[in-house]
Amino acid sequence: MSEILTPDTALTRPLDAAAVEAELTALAERYRAAGGLGIQILNLLGGSVDGLLDKLPAPVRSRLDGATEQALQLAMQGASGSRRVVPDQPSGVNRAVSAAMGAAGGMGGLPGALVELPATTAFLLRSIQGVAAEEGFDPETDGVRFDCIRVFAAAGPLAADDGADLGFLSLRLGLTGGAVQKLIAQVAPRLSVVLGQKLAAQAVPVLGAVAGATTNFVYAGYYQEMARVHFGLRRLAVAADQPHEVLVARLQDRLLAPR
């Protein structure tokens, strides 16, 4: 029987070929399931989200990129600091807390959602850092901090192409703090589309509370799963003593192959 990696064994002893294949298959299934679940749940809100951004007021749309970049900057500071005070929580707890935050923000319509956006961004980043720690990496190092932000480049669960977001897997560790700031500026425009959809769904008071809770629940689960794929692949590269880029390509082959 093939061995599946655990955090206790991943960074201590090499794996055989069968174990590597089993882990890659598990990561591919996790990747597929994350986006599929998000689409199904968000569709329950009633209708497609494709036109949600157009429903936001023009001044809000024009400021989304800048607001998202600022939210990421603040989130990096707040998320790292909170880990020193409050321990990481299980995935289910994170999703429940995120849903409560979304409901609270949605109760106030668009103004409330705009206030909630930075807090939700920090919370999502904090949950990504927790996954990194579970997989055996130190979220306080520059390289892992870079990777935690990079997970946001996976956009959201509504991405049309399963293979389109694989670029977020391919960057190496060991980067400087300055690179983290540059990455935030690059990721912010893409993440702003995701958060803009969320804001539009929360724009109607009361109904916005339901939309906020639902979208936050979905996004918290989605980004945690993307983090598990990202750092799981990093862990596998170390455990299997194989180049990370090779494993990324093999994972991509699995995702793009007909099922």
Side-chain angles (χ1 to χ4, degrees), residues 101-140:
M101 292 169 63
M107 282 293 292
L110 184 58
L114 286 169
V115 172
E116 175 239 335
L117 183 147
T120 291
T121 304
F123 190 83
L124 291 174
L125 183 57
R126 164 65 194 272
S127 67
I128 291 168
Q129 291 177 340
V131 171
E134 285 180 26
E135 298 291 343
F137 298 95
D138 181 3
E140 296 301 315

Side-chain angles (χ1 to χ4, degrees), residues 14-62:
L15 298 174
D16 59 25
V20 173
E21 291 299 315
E23 184 70 8
L24 283 172
T25 297
L27 289 173
E29 289 304 313
R30 186 182 289 276
Y31 191 106
R32 288 193 187 99
L37 177 63
I39 292 173
Q40 293 170 22
I41 294 179
L42 288 179
N43 281 343
L44 295 178
L45 293 176
S48 171
V49 299
D50 290 342
L52 281 180
L53 284 177
D54 294 335
K55 298 179 182 178
L56 288 173
V60 174
R61 290 200 307 270
S62 67

